[in-house]
Amino acid sequence: MYYFSHGVGSSQAPAPNPVRHRRRRRTIHRLAHNDPVNDLALLLTPEGRALLDEVRDTDPARELAVATRLRRDHPAELVSAALGQARLRQRAVAKFGERDAARMFFTPNGVEQSTRTSVATHRAECLRANGVRSVADLCCGIGGDAIAFARAGIRVLAVDRDPLTCEAARANADALGLAGLIEVREADVTEVDTAGYDAVFVDPARRSSKRGRIFDPEAYSPPLSWAVSAALGAPLGLLKIAPGIPHEAIPADATAEWVSDGGDVKEAILWFGPHVTPGARRATLLPSGAGIHVTPGTMLPDPRVRPVGRYLYEPDGAVIRAHLVAEVAEDLDGGLIDPTIAYITSDELHNTPYATAYEITDQLPFNVKRLKALLREREVGILTVKKRGSAVEPEELRRKVRPQGPHSATVFLTRVAGAPTMLVGRPAR
């Protein structure tokens, strides 16, 4: 199976010049930070809930002024907790939507690691379609998946070992009117009896407060091997993993599904059970719900490499992660521009939900001066820079070419038949 270069990088501002003059030391005002367990308990009181409503739309830049005013009538700890929760709710809107985020309770890790509602709803609908009426949600976090399961009419046992996380999950089930379907239990998931549940869903922690993101599956909490055994022991088992997991690390008896939302890969799920095809691969694209499902015996060989045609197709991230680019290339009657790059090229424009099409107007060897001259000639002021297989940072290139003018263009920094290349074009209509 081929692998595709993504060329992830970062930019950094240059170090400032040494300070020549002594400056006055600034005093930085910070809101009080309390024990998060106590914070949540305060917010669940009538006074706390009322204060949350009052600070709901507070601009973070005005927090200090708002806090000063509110502390005249409320305890300082409650004010700090309410403003902190308001900030988390504002961040959570992108995942949960404005209506739910405004009623839910979050922890910093909960906002960062919880499942986006659209993805959780997709998974819950899959379970309901498979006849699931009860599920054990292990490592439930603040309850994002449990909420989606319950809204699909599925009874949920939500388990987590962190007391604050469990309190947040209970509060969320109650706030959204789902407490009758969600039982939250504070426990070590490895000690919970899941017998009697139609499905088991495991979402191991893949981050550490000390080490950040964890890449070794056996360093997950709980380890991948335990999670696999828990999933295999259920009538239907689901295991959430990092989208970048190597395919060789995927158990042979699982179907692996990669899910994207709006073109961004959000997660990968391993499915286990008697109705699952071992070794199958699936790419699911939300919000459309379009998907490719390929079994081991029907997977295509690597696509052919061919010269750049009139159109360039950028496959959805879920398609790339699932190694299903060959299936999309065949559907487009196209080939790759390079054996290691996930860009498909074709002479014809095809409608497909699995890739974004661009019309290519120019193909240049990598040369910043030539690109700058071309953009100046075309009066391009709005420049979108995409990269795959290139070490050049988009912002760095944009600074060098200094686009100016009323027109727009897209430049792809990539490789064509092994050579560093710039492809200039625009979204196909």
Side-chain angles (χ1 to χ4, degrees):
M1 182 60 69
Y2 44 83
Y3 292 87
F4 296 110
S5 301
H6 295 268
V8 177
S10 61
S11 59
Q12 181 173 325
N17 293 327
V19 178
R20 296 182 179 178
H21 303 285
R22 180 174 299 174
R23 297 179 179 176
R24 293 181 58 188
R25 181 174 299 171
R26 294 191 304 165
T27 300
I28 301 176
H29 299 278
R30 290 186 172 87
L31 297 174
H33 180 74
N34 306 298
D35 182 341
V37 177
N38 293 334
D39 283 357
L40 187 55
L42 291 170
L43 295 174
L44 294 174
T45 65
E47 183 182 8
R49 293 177 184 274
L51 194 57
L52 273 175
D53 290 337
E54 185 174 349
V55 302
R56 172 178 174 176
D57 299 318
T58 299
D59 184 339
R62 296 193 63 251
E63 279 188 357
L64 185 59
V66 172
T68 301
R69 174 176 58 82
L70 292 176
R71 283 169 179 165
R72 299 169 187 161
D73 303 308
H74 303 279
E77 295 81 0
L78 177 58
V79 172
S80 293
L83 287 171
Q85 189 62 217
R87 195 183 313 123
L88 293 175
R89 285 179 168 182
Q90 291 169 6
R91 288 172 51 195
V93 168
K95 284 189 174 183
F96 291 91
E98 187 172 353
R99 186 170 183 270
D100 281 353
R103 295 181 289 168
M104 293 174 65
F105 294 86
F106 299 96
T107 65
N109 285 339
V111 173
E112 180 70 23
Q113 300 177 22
S114 56
T115 304
R116 183 179 292 262
T117 293
S118 56
V119 179
T121 300
H122 159 71
R123 179 162 42 250
E125 292 300 327
C126 288
L127 290 189
R128 181 167 65 176
N130 278 278
V132 171
R133 294 294 175 263
S134 62
V135 59
D137 180 359
L138 307 183
C139 309
C140 68
I142 61 168
D145 283 287
I147 290 167
F149 292 143
R151 282 177 167 167
I154 300 172
R155 180 171 56 86
V156 187
L157 169 63
V159 184
D160 204 286
R161 67 180 180 183
D162 180 65
L164 173 61
T165 299
C166 288
E167 282 302 309
R170 289 191 189 94
N172 290 334
D174 181 66
L176 300 180
L178 299 170
L181 283 171
I182 300 175
E183 174 195 349
V184 179
R185 185 181 302 175
E186 181 187 333
D188 185 329
V189 297
T190 64
E191 299 174 357
V192 174
D193 182 7
T194 60
Y197 288 88
D198 297 335
V200 169
F201 171 60
V202 190
D203 183 7
R206 296 178 298 281
R207 290 179 181 271
S208 166
S209 58
K210 295 181 179 180
R211 295 185 295 168
R213 190 183 299 274
I214 299 172
F215 296 97
D216 177 9
E218 283 307 300
Y220 292 173
S221 180
L224 179 64
S225 56
W226 181 90
V228 169
S229 65
L232 285 170
L236 178 62
L238 297 83
L239 171 57
K240 184 175 175 180
I241 57 175
I245 188 172
H247 279 227
E248 57 268 23
I250 296 173
D253 43 7
T255 284
E257 177 188 22
W258 283 262
V259 182
S260 67
D261 189 11
D264 295 328
V265 182
K266 297 302 178 184
E267 66 176 45
I269 291 289
L270 302 183
W271 294 78
F272 300 86
H275 304 299
V276 169
T277 303
R281 299 290 181 264
R282 182 188 307 159
T284 301
L285 283 58
L286 301 177
S288 69
I292 305 175
H293 183 90
V294 179
T295 58
T298 62
M299 289 182 179
L300 297 177
D302 295 357
R304 64 191 175 96
V305 177
R306 53 150 290 174
V308 177
R310 182 176 178 182
Y311 296 97
L312 187 76
Y313 293 85
E314 182 180 25
D316 184 274
V319 170
I320 297 173
R321 292 290 192 182
H323 290 184
L324 297 177
V325 172
E327 281 68 20
V328 176
E330 181 182 59
D331 186 53
L332 297 173
D333 191 24
L336 299 180
I337 64 172
D338 184 276
T340 63
I341 302 295
Y343 283 140
I344 301 169
T345 187
S346 175
D347 297 318
E348 302 294 334
L349 179 61
H350 302 272
N351 291 324
T352 175
Y354 305 115
T356 302
Y358 296 84
E359 184 176 8
I360 299 302
T361 58
D362 301 271
Q363 178 177 340
L364 309 169
F366 183 81
N367 186 297
V368 176
K369 289 185 178 180
R370 287 186 61 181
L371 178 63
K372 184 176 181 179
L374 177 66
L375 298 177
R376 184 171 60 246
E377 177 186 339
R378 305 270 174 87
E379 296 183 304
V380 172
I382 304 172
L383 182 64
T384 300
V385 182
K386 292 178 172 286
K387 56 174 282 186
R388 184 163 291 149
S390 172
V392 178
E393 290 301 323
E395 286 304 320
E396 176 187 354
L397 180 69
R398 198 175 284 109
R399 285 195 300 268
K400 289 181 177 179
V401 299
R402 291 180 291 180
Q404 294 181 1
H407 302 137
S408 62
T410 300
V411 60
F412 296 86
L413 306 178
T414 187
R415 291 193 305 270
V416 173
T421 303
M422 299 181 296
L423 301 177
V424 182
R426 54 181 173 264
R429 292 180 174 81

